[in-house]
Amino acid sequence: LCERSMASARSSKHARDAALASLLPGGGVGSSKRARLEGGGGDAGLDERSSARKGTVLRVEMRNFMTYAHVVVEPGLRLNLILGPNGTGKSSLVCALCVGLAGHTKLLGRADKISDYVKRGEEFGSVKITLASGEGEAPVTVFRKIKRDNSSEWKVNGSPCSKEKVEKLTKEYAVQLDNLCAFLPQDRVVMFAHLKPVELLVETQKAIGDTTLYDSHQNLIQLRDGLRGLETKVEKHANLLDTKKEQNKSVERDVTKFKEREELRASAAKMATKLPWLKYEEAKAEYIETKDKAKQGKEALKAQKAALDKAQEPVKALEDDKVEGKKKLQKIDKDAAKAAHDITTFTDKVNSLAAKHDQQMSTIESLHDQWAQSEKEKNDLREKIAKIEAEYATAPKEAPPELLAQRDELHDKYKKADLEQREIQHKEYELIERSEGIRKPLESIKDKLKKLTSVRSARLNALYAKQPQLRQVVDWIEANRATFKKRVYGPILCEVDVPNSQHAKMLEQHAPGFLWGSFVTTDEEDRNRIISANNVQKLSVLNYMDDPTKEIQYRSGKAANFAHLGVTNTLDAVFEAAPIIKHVLCDHARLNDTYLVKSNDDVERIFKETNINVLWTNDSQHMQHKSRYNKNAVSIRVVPLRPCRLFQTQGNASTNKAEKDALTSQMQKHEQELQKLEKERETLQSKQTKIESERIKPLSDAKNKIAKEISDINKRAVKMKVALDRWREELSQLEKAEPLNVRMSKERKMLDNLLASRVKAVTSVTEAIQRRREVMHKECMLRLELAELEVREDALKTELAEYQKEYNDATQLSEQLNQIMVIARQKLADTKATAEQETGSITPELEEYFSTLSANYDELEAQVQAARERADRILCPNPNILDDYNRRCAEISQLEKTLHGDREELATGQAKIDSEKEAWLPRLRELVSNVNSGFGQAFASIGCAGEVRLVEAGEEYDRYSIEIRVKFRDEEELQVLCATRQSGGERSVSTILYLLALTSLTNGLGFRVCDEINQGMDPNNERKVFGLLVQSMTRPGTPQSFLLTPKLLPDLEYTDEVTVLNIFNGPYVKQVADGWSQEAFWRRRAMTGAAGAADPIAVL
């Protein structure tokens, strides 16, 4: 398509300058301006871009957006044809326009999350769109940065802003992304035919770019909705007014009688208003009387108070004398207490001195006894010393020689027997060391066997969880392992040792799941026997007949050959297993063709420079797939590394049967050696026991007996020497001690001092007792005086009590009179408040009216009662009739005012609707008529029929709609376009022709987008529609348009206003783009002659 369009294009400066936009490896966009060649071509200046209409897209720059790493698109100002095969990134431009101008992702019908529009493997992407601002105004640039966490950053002309500001800007620039008549992405093309007629009218009004028509329609709908409620309200109020007037008319007679009765009651009530004032006058007279009595009581109380005060004076004088007497008594009590304390103190001292005297006498007697005892002990010690000196002089000082010789002979025999026993013990220790040397490796072997068993159990349990039927097979093979002709391996999972946990994950994920639960035989009969004996579904038994010792082949080359590219090794080199197991895994899982690489950054280069198709990195698997039909079509699938489910136990996990047998054999050998050494040790222990019982023990007993005799001889001499020294020391200490007769003399002197102190203390006690007697005499006299004062005080208090009683009676009487006065005063206030509450304050008019009434309370009350009885004789069945009547009268008045206002408001609203309708409906009819004219002409040009009809609904403005009626065959009638009646191609033709009919009317739009609308059309219709599209969308004054399609028919006609943007994608695009020369192309084009006369290939 690019070649043919290039061949038919004419020269223009814009076309020459709009060369291929450079793109990072993976794709590119090329643009060329189409123009008919006249006289060899001319230059069309670029000044027209500076005068582009407001809202026109001047430039779109995408970074890490969907399929693009970086691309810049500069579309033409009229019709832009976006061409390219499916999957190359045409719709990415549409998505960029939508999300870059604050459109919702739902408008695209694709992914809902904004982060899904970021190129895979990148953390963020961005879209930068430049819009024209109209002639003479600087363009505006909108920038959006999209992050993986679904957040965005917005900028307008380089300044950060909010999304709301961008939305306001797009509205100002007439960008209607939510209008299917203006923005029709690929995944929403089918939705146009699903638009309801009412929705189609709304979208059509919005699509013309002038919002006044759409706003008028919405205003009419709102006004009409408001008037509906008002009309209902007016009708309701009118009916209610009539009802209330009829109700009042039917009760007018009863109301008259009721009024007469109410007048009588009112007269009685008015007369009754004087009654409380009459009560007030009575209360007033009563209050004045009680007030005078309270004053008299107050004066009497004052006189009684003066008499009481005079009677209290002698009582007070007596009380003062009593207080003074009590103070003297307190002083005397203190003196008596001090004398008693002195008596006690001196008495205690006399007693204490007597006790010390007795103790001193006891001390002297004790010293006398000690002196006698000391003299006796000295004499006894002198006798003992003389006796022991005599014995020590005659006692032997060491053992006899014959006893020492016998001891030495026994010692030599014992030493010889002990030496023989030590030699036997040394041999026993050597046996123990040898046993320990065997026992340590034996324990290590047992630990290895235990670990092998636990690893195998863990892996078998993991297999049983996925394939429970394997348990039966494993148990059967273990039970019958000795009966097989050759060795049986398996399950394979238990035959593999993977030291590295990451490699275990890769190995488990790479190999097919069935393989890990498979068994391997090297004899066909063994294989058949396992299968026939175990009736288990999905049982895999692999019989390997090849030579397991042969070297594994690497079809893509050994890992060392690719070390410079970052390859470390192949997947078959990351684990240990029997050779036959490795061959089976390589045959069934191609481990020898799977390579491990250090970094994800090396993957693309390795795939490009080698024949390797499968790579593993630390976190993912990369698989390259080349198309069978196009060798240049390459795709790479990336699968994340998953956690292990089967290789749950890491470390040395080998369960090789030969290793296990070897370990078992070593364990048995070591155990036999241990048993042999244990028998030798038992023999040595028997010899040692015999020597101990027959030689060492008797010799030891005899030796100990002689040693005891020698020790006893030595000990006896030593013991006598020690006793002699001790007794001499004791005698020396006794003779050095102070003589007891000196101490007795000192103690007798202390006894004389104590006797003198006792005499002095007794004298002090006698003096204290005398003072106590004197104080007691004074206390008795003072108490007699206080008793006399008490008698006199009682007499005075009795007299005072009489005065106090009279004063209390006067006080009580005064308080009672005051209470009566307060009650009377409160009654006066209450009656006045009651009267004022019923009548208010007495006005001159009310006072004049009261003068006409009786001044007697009972007489006036009788007159009031008579008036009330007359009123009660007038019967009214409904006591609330007057209230209802008056209430309805008020409601009628209010309803009449409300109804008048509502009717005026209704008339005003209807006038607004009529005025708005007069401005809107003719314009709408004209719009639909123009659309119908263009739509009908377009359909006629392709040999079909179509019309656009406005369906009016009177005052129901929300039901106005547009119907598209089409006919594609002569024998049919015009049918309404819908999603179920017409075919996909017919709907596409109808949609594009309707949009074309709107083109000349949508002068207010910034730009329009239509994605793959020509798909499904037959060639004839597509050619005709394309001609109409070019003719309609390139006229002056029409908005910028974008038409996206994977293909177009050959030999189509273009105009100067058509810009073709070719989307290329592939590994060699950048190379071609870098070598492209627009000028060279036009030179070659000039040499080929007229358009269509040269071979397009030669031209390019």
Side-chain angles (χ1 to χ4, degrees), residues 350-539:
V350 169
N351 295 335
S352 175
L353 290 171
K356 288 182 179 179
H357 178 269
D358 295 340
Q359 184 178 2
Q360 191 67 19
M361 288 297 293
S362 299
T363 300
I364 292 172
E365 291 175 358
S366 175
L367 286 174
H368 183 271
D369 293 340
Q370 289 178 10
W371 174 79
Q373 180 65 27
S374 175
E375 290 299 320
K376 183 178 181 302
E377 288 179 355
K378 288 178 182 179
N379 294 330
D380 292 341
L381 284 174
R382 290 187 184 102
E383 292 176 0
K384 287 182 180 179
I385 290 171
K387 183 178 178 181
I388 200 69
E389 285 177 345
E391 291 180 1
Y392 182 74
T394 58
K397 305 298 186 293
E398 59 182 8
E402 61 273 12
L403 191 61
L404 294 176
Q406 187 178 358
R407 183 193 65 180
D408 294 340
E409 182 182 359
L410 290 173
H411 179 71
D412 293 339
K413 291 180 180 180
Y414 179 85
K415 187 176 180 180
K416 183 178 180 181
D418 184 64
L419 183 61
E420 291 180 9
Q421 188 180 39
R422 288 178 182 277
E423 290 177 355
I424 294 173
Q425 288 177 347
H426 180 69
K427 292 180 181 180
E428 184 180 4
Y429 291 152
E430 290 179 350
L431 291 177
I432 292 174
E433 289 178 357
R434 289 172 60 190
S435 299
E436 290 299 322
I438 296 172
R439 189 171 282 107
K440 288 182 179 179
L442 178 62
E443 293 298 326
S444 175
I445 292 170
K446 289 181 178 180
D447 289 341
K448 288 182 180 180
L449 285 172
K450 184 177 180 181
K451 189 174 181 181
L452 288 174
T453 305
S454 63
V455 170
R456 180 177 175 85
S457 298
R459 293 189 179 180
L460 285 174
N461 289 333
L463 279 175
Y464 296 159
K466 296 184 68 175
Q467 305 177 49
Q469 68 274 12
L470 279 181
R471 186 185 297 275
Q472 170 189 337
V473 181
V474 171
D475 293 343
W476 185 88
I477 290 176
E478 290 297 329
N480 296 275
R481 187 173 293 279
T483 63
F484 293 119
K485 290 186 174 181
K486 295 184 179 180
R487 182 176 175 182
V488 176
Y489 299 86
I492 291 179
L493 180 67
C494 298
E495 303 288 345
V496 174
D497 172 20
V498 193
N500 186 287
S501 60
Q502 288 294 104
H503 294 162
K505 296 177 185 177
M506 297 176 188
L507 193 63
E508 180 179 328
Q509 186 170 338
H510 185 85
F514 80 90
L515 202 56
W516 299 117
S518 299
F519 298 87
V520 180
T521 64
T522 55
D523 186 86
E524 187 68 24
E525 290 185 11
D526 290 343
R527 177 183 181 277
N528 295 336
R529 184 183 172 200
I530 293 172
I531 294 174
S532 60
N534 296 275
N535 186 17
V536 175
Q537 292 183 350
K538 298 182 180 180
L539 176 60

Side-chain angles (χ1 to χ4, degrees), residues 631-684:
K631 293 184 178 179
N632 293 327
V634 178
S635 63
I636 298 175
R637 181 186 177 199
V638 181
V639 180
L641 184 62
R642 296 189 297 267
C644 283
R645 296 183 180 178
L646 299 177
F647 286 99
Q648 297 178 353
T649 306
Q650 300 178 10
N652 186 6
S654 176
T655 54
N656 188 288
K657 188 65 171 60
E659 182 182 357
K660 186 175 180 180
D661 293 343
L663 290 173
T664 303
S665 176
Q666 292 178 21
M667 181 181 70
Q668 292 173 352
K669 181 180 178 181
H670 288 324
E671 287 177 346
Q672 289 174 0
E673 290 180 0
L674 280 176
Q675 291 175 359
K676 181 180 178 181
L677 292 174
E678 189 64 29
K679 288 181 179 179
E680 293 180 7
R681 184 182 174 192
E682 289 176 357
T683 302
L684 291 175

Side-chain angles (χ1 to χ4, degrees), residues 914-1078:
D914 293 342
S915 174
E916 192 77 42
K917 183 177 181 181
E918 289 175 2
W920 170 71
L921 189 55
R923 289 181 60 202
L924 179 61
R925 289 171 178 165
E926 181 182 2
L927 170 65
V928 175
S929 175
N930 292 336
V931 174
N932 179 50
S933 176
F935 188 72
Q937 291 175 7
F939 257 82
S941 67
I942 63 173
C944 302
E947 68 174 11
V948 178
R949 179 184 302 175
L950 175 64
V951 180
E952 300 183 15
E955 295 294 320
E956 302 300 325
Y957 300 104
D958 55 345
R959 293 170 57 189
Y960 276 67
S961 61
I962 286 180
E963 287 185 352
I964 299 177
R965 295 177 175 269
V966 295
K967 182 177 75 169
F968 288 92
R969 286 164 284 278
D970 294 336
E971 65 274 8
E972 292 180 349
E973 296 293 332
L974 286 170
Q975 302 289 339
V976 176
L977 178 67
C978 64
T980 57
R981 183 175 287 114
Q982 287 80 18
S983 66
E986 292 170 348
R987 291 198 301 272
S988 297
V989 171
S990 303
T991 301
I992 191 62
L993 292 184
Y994 185 80
L995 298 179
L996 290 177
L998 284 175
T999 300
S1000 61
L1001 306 173
T1002 55
N1003 295 330
L1005 282 180
F1007 62 86
R1008 298 169 62 184
V1009 174
C1010 191
D1011 195 353
E1012 296 194 14
I1013 195 64
N1014 61 329
Q1015 298 306 297
M1017 296 185 188
D1018 61 79
N1020 291 329
N1021 285 340
E1022 183 176 351
R1023 187 175 297 278
K1024 295 174 183 178
V1025 168
F1026 184 80
L1028 292 171
L1029 186 145
V1030 172
Q1031 179 183 357
S1032 175
M1033 292 188 174
T1034 58
R1035 286 198 295 266
T1038 56
Q1040 183 185 38
S1041 300
F1042 294 87
L1043 177 63
L1044 290 84
T1045 178
K1047 63 159 182 76
L1048 282 177
L1049 296 173
D1051 300 324
L1052 297 174
E1053 293 294 331
Y1054 302 88
T1055 69
D1056 290 345
E1057 302 300 328
V1058 178
T1059 300
V1060 179
L1061 298 172
N1062 295 286
I1063 307 294
F1064 299 101
N1065 200 332
Y1068 306 108
V1069 171
K1070 189 174 188 302
Q1071 179 181 348
V1072 174
D1074 291 341
W1076 172 260
S1077 172
Q1078 185 86 352

